[in-house]
Amino acid sequence: MKQGLGMHIAGIIENSNTQDILETIKHFLNIENRKVSISEYGYFRNKETWNSYCSAINQTGTEILIIKIKFSDIEDALNFLPLDTLIINDYSEWAFAQNIICNSKRSFKNLTIILNGDVIKTLNFSDEICRVLRYGFNKDSNITTSSTGEPSISGRFLCYIRTGLVTANGRKIEPQEYVINIDSTAVDPYNILAAASFAVLYDVNLNRGNAIS
């Protein structure tokens, strides 16, 4: 169902952190000059509109399309969109999405869900249903930080890939550390980890980036 050669379709369930995460994702993707488009699910109420939109942004060279999904649209979006990736940051969002995914006739084996592992526990969820990439500060997180100092003191954020992973393009990434420079002490570390998880999944070398402000 993927629209166009090489274009990845990602979704993010909207909440108060969404805009900061998206801005940070765009910052990271810019490191590799990756072209990203951002839209809202409300625009795509039928297949014709969806196909026309995908065709148009494909012609502009868009590699990754990120779609903002309201909580009320989660079920429709999961059943309609050919998602490669979905970012979830809230437990209620996860509980609702998990129920849909587990009970759908549609296969989600090619879907990667990026979620906050400190807030969302997936004890009864099988990774055979879909792939889960966890970020956070606990021992079960795939992507975490080895930094214990305050960003205001160090001016940098150390992002650590604890376990090897395969990127969306099929490349294997070994456990490693990325140093992310930050200019602002107001940056939420969870938002950085969410965006960093997405960027690493899409083959961005975070060590090449400029400071996040």
Side-chain angles (χ1 to χ4, degrees):
M1 286 186 72
K2 190 172 290 187
Q3 303 293 322
L5 295 176
M7 189 169 79
H8 295 277
I9 311 297
I12 182 168
I13 300 176
E14 289 191 86
N15 57 37
S16 59
N17 295 312
T18 298
Q19 195 56 41
D20 284 344
I21 293 172
L22 289 175
E23 290 299 324
T24 308
I25 285 175
K26 288 192 291 184
H27 174 88
F28 287 150
L29 292 175
N30 189 54
I31 294 171
E32 305 280 2
N33 295 316
R34 309 285 292 282
K35 184 156 187 179
V36 58
S37 293
I38 297 173
S39 189
E40 296 183 11
Y41 178 70
Y43 295 148
F44 312 120
R45 293 303 183 185
N46 59 70
K47 189 174 291 187
E48 183 179 353
T49 302
W50 167 253
N51 289 338
S52 296
Y53 180 81
C54 288
S55 177
I57 62 172
N58 252 327
Q59 292 176 25
T60 68
T62 293
E63 296 178 60
I64 301 170
L65 169 61
I66 304 176
I67 302 167
K68 294 186 287 185
I69 303 167
K70 296 184 184 303
F71 186 91
S72 58
D73 288 329
I74 291 175
E75 184 169 10
D76 283 346
L78 282 170
N79 288 321
F80 179 74
L81 296 172
L83 291 173
D84 298 298
T85 309
L86 180 64
I87 301 172
I88 301 179
N89 297 298
D90 179 83
Y91 179 79
S92 60
E93 297 169 358
W94 163 252
F96 189 52
Q98 176 186 225
N99 183 60
I100 295 165
I101 290 169
C102 289
N103 293 292
S104 176
K105 294 180 181 179
R106 178 177 180 178
S107 172
F108 289 93
K109 287 185 177 180
N110 294 324
L111 173 66
T112 297
I113 294 180
I114 296 173
L115 55 76
N116 185 332
D118 289 351
V119 174
I120 302 167
K121 304 305 177 185
T122 57
L123 299 177
N124 299 317
F125 185 78
S126 170
D127 282 2
E128 294 180 2
I129 298 173
C130 68
R131 179 187 184 194
V132 176
L133 188 61
R134 302 165 181 85
Y135 67 87
F137 299 94
N138 67 73
K139 62 181 179 60
D140 296 322
S141 297
N142 305 98
I143 297 180
T144 184
T145 177
S146 54
S147 173
T148 56
E150 289 295 327
S152 58
I153 299 172
S154 65
R156 64 182 190 172
F157 188 93
L158 302 180
C159 179
Y160 179 61
I161 300 178
R162 178 180 281 123
T163 57
L165 62 90
V166 177
T167 71
N169 294 312
R171 189 167 69 91
K172 183 155 185 191
I173 302 288
E174 298 297 335
Q176 59 186 281
E177 186 177 82
Y178 297 97
V179 179
I180 302 171
N181 295 314
I182 56 175
D183 286 340
S184 171
T185 59
V187 178
D188 187 321
Y190 283 108
N191 292 348
I192 295 177
L193 284 176
S197 300
F198 187 91
V200 169
L201 182 64
Y202 284 93
D203 290 294
V204 173
N205 181 355
L206 297 175
N207 282 325
R208 296 179 54 189
N210 297 318
I212 300 172
S213 57

